[in-house]
Amino acid sequence: MMKPALQLRTGTHLTMTPQLQQAIHLLQLSTLDLQQELQMALESNPLLDTEEEHTIEQPETPLSQDEWSSDIPEELPLDARWEDLYTNGSSTAGLGSDDSFNIEHNALAVDLASHLRAQILLMDMDPREHLITDTLLDALEPSGYLGAGLEDLGKGLRQQGLGDLRQAELERMLSRLQQCEPIGVFARDLRECLLLQLDQLPEDVPWLAQTRRMIRQFLEPLGQNDRRLLKRRLSLDDEALDQVIHTIRSLNPRPGQAFESVDQHLVIPDLVLRYHGRQGWQVELNQESLPRLRIQPDYAALVRRADKSEENTFLKQHLQEARWLLKSLSSRNDTLLRVGQEIMTRQAGFIEHGDEALKPMILADIAQAVDMHESTISRVTTRKYIHTPRGIVELKYFFSSHVGQEGDAHASTAIRARIRKFIGDEAPRRPLSDARLVQLLADNGIMVARRTVAKYREAMGIPSSSERKRLA
């Protein structure tokens, strides 16, 4: 029989104050979004100003830090799990409390990872499942396909502490994520992507069974437009075959394509990689990417201590908001710089040799090095870019799962770069088969299975050797 009782428990937890929510909110914004956010703050807060036109040092404001409003800590604890931010389903706080601002912000375009993460947060998961989900999400490509094999991802998860992880558990989590919108994401190849979308169609779609069978068994003849073989194998006439092909063409082979254009028209790097002689390559903040803000000295000088008039209360409130914003920006820059430095230290080979020299690296590696949670690293690296001698690169690009045994592992991104290079150098009349690509990779010390090569090739949109020969 259950009886009500009182219990006293002690524990620690992160208190998500509006100011801390604002700091974390700024951390996950891209440079373009942050510029818009700061511009709105400049327009709404008279105590904020830019330093662009002011070179003369301004005097201190009459109020000391001990005299105005609540304390601002030396460091803001930006390291927080996603569940800490969304415990009650509310959105992160912006710079203001106006509902119209939140609606406008929510209407802004988001990338594929953010779109999926918002759906994943609504799923009931324990910490173990969250770790698996973060790994699968980290391996997702912009096209919507899973960029690494489950075997490779499973090895990485076991190294992170899930030693008892079984392949069946990983398959179940993948199936759950494959129910997210847009349908077809987290597919391992084109065939699975189309079948996932086909499962969502009504059962009364004409020739649905034959359409499903064509995708499973006859995608290659369909690509070759071998209508005679398709009609014979599927027992279809011309009209029925046309309907089946029309159904397949209505599916989306790249479910993440709608998100690929987000912020791609203009990319402003957050970090810059520069060479400093004996010090070598150093990561620096891009000082030109954001306006330099300051407290407006004239208005701040009007704030009077112990004055509770309406005008003075207004100035005090906006002075407090301005100081919190400046502190949040400083914490964002410090966190971004720390993470960027650690990434480039581990991926130093990329500077000299390009994609082929990328090393296996996952979010957990950087999280452990900088003593932060993986969710924080994900926020810091999403839609954040660094200017390198090899161009402007998103920080997310440097993360890829490992392929191979411990001590002889290679980054999946590096393997794809080598496959792309081999195919780019092949003779048009004698294209390289997947088996030949496996042999060439082995000659370079990379041991992978043929199915892995085929999966990477298909994910990069490269046709098979027979199709490349026909197109030559």
Side-chain angles (χ1 to χ4, degrees), residues 337-403:
L337 188 59
R338 285 178 57 198
V339 173
Q341 288 174 337
E342 184 63 29
I343 290 176
M344 295 314 302
T345 299
R346 292 170 177 259
Q347 300 290 7
F350 169 82
I351 304 172
E352 301 294 336
H353 307 288
D355 295 351
E356 299 178 21
L358 286 174
K359 296 181 179 180
M361 186 175 69
I362 57 178
L363 294 176
D365 298 331
I366 302 299
Q368 184 177 6
V370 300
D371 194 23
M372 291 183 174
H373 194 266
E374 291 178 47
S375 298
T376 304
I377 305 303
S378 179
R379 287 191 291 271
V380 173
T381 55
T382 299
R383 294 191 296 166
K384 309 297 191 303
Y385 297 84
I386 181 171
H387 188 282
T388 74
R390 296 188 174 273
I392 297 177
V393 185
E394 187 181 12
L395 294 180
K396 278 282 189 186
Y397 183 75
F398 295 103
F399 293 91
S400 60
S401 58
H402 74 276
V403 177

Side-chain angles (χ1 to χ4, degrees), residues 63-226:
L63 291 181
S64 65
Q65 288 191 0
D66 294 334
E67 296 173 319
W68 56 261
S69 196
S70 59
D71 296 333
I72 296 180
E74 289 295 328
E75 295 185 3
L76 291 178
L78 299 184
D79 185 32
R81 297 177 174 85
W82 286 102
E83 51 267 29
D84 294 331
L85 301 178
Y86 298 96
T87 53
N88 58 358
S90 60
S91 61
T92 54
L95 295 179
S97 59
D98 184 23
D99 291 338
S100 62
F101 167 78
N102 293 328
I103 293 175
E104 181 179 353
H105 177 76
N106 292 336
L108 295 176
V110 296
D111 61 358
L112 179 61
S114 300
H115 177 71
L116 292 172
R117 195 177 292 279
Q119 300 175 60
I120 294 172
L121 288 171
L122 301 178
M123 299 180 182
D124 185 17
M125 293 185 182
D126 55 31
R128 177 188 179 92
E129 292 172 330
H130 272 295
L131 179 58
I132 298 175
T133 299
D134 286 341
T135 300
L136 292 172
L137 191 60
D138 181 38
L140 197 66
E141 296 182 334
S143 61
Y145 287 90
L146 196 65
L150 289 186
E151 295 180 1
D152 302 330
L153 297 176
K155 292 178 182 178
L157 284 166
R158 294 183 188 98
Q159 293 175 359
Q160 297 181 52
L162 301 185
D164 58 342
L165 179 67
R166 296 183 177 274
Q167 197 73 7
E169 183 180 1
L170 201 55
E171 290 275 1
R172 286 195 301 271
M173 288 303 303
L174 180 63
S175 297
R176 290 183 64 182
L177 296 181
Q178 287 176 344
Q179 305 306 311
C180 293
E181 294 284 348
I183 298 299
V185 292
F186 290 102
R188 286 161 283 190
D189 52 36
L190 175 62
R191 188 171 279 104
E192 185 176 30
C193 177
L194 297 179
L195 287 174
L196 287 171
Q197 297 176 57
L198 205 63
D199 291 339
Q200 302 298 316
L201 296 181
E203 291 296 330
D204 58 353
V205 172
W207 309 104
L208 186 59
Q210 287 81 354
T211 305
R212 187 174 284 109
R213 186 184 173 199
M214 181 183 289
I215 293 175
R216 284 175 175 161
Q217 302 178 15
F218 303 112
L219 270 185
E220 288 76 14
L222 176 61
Q224 300 167 6
N225 198 25
D226 193 344

Side-chain angles (χ1 to χ4, degrees), residues 258-273:
F259 298 86
E260 290 181 354
S261 60
V262 175
D263 288 347
Q264 295 302 312
H265 59 287
L266 178 62
V267 172
I268 301 176
D270 304 82
L271 302 172
V272 179
L273 188 64

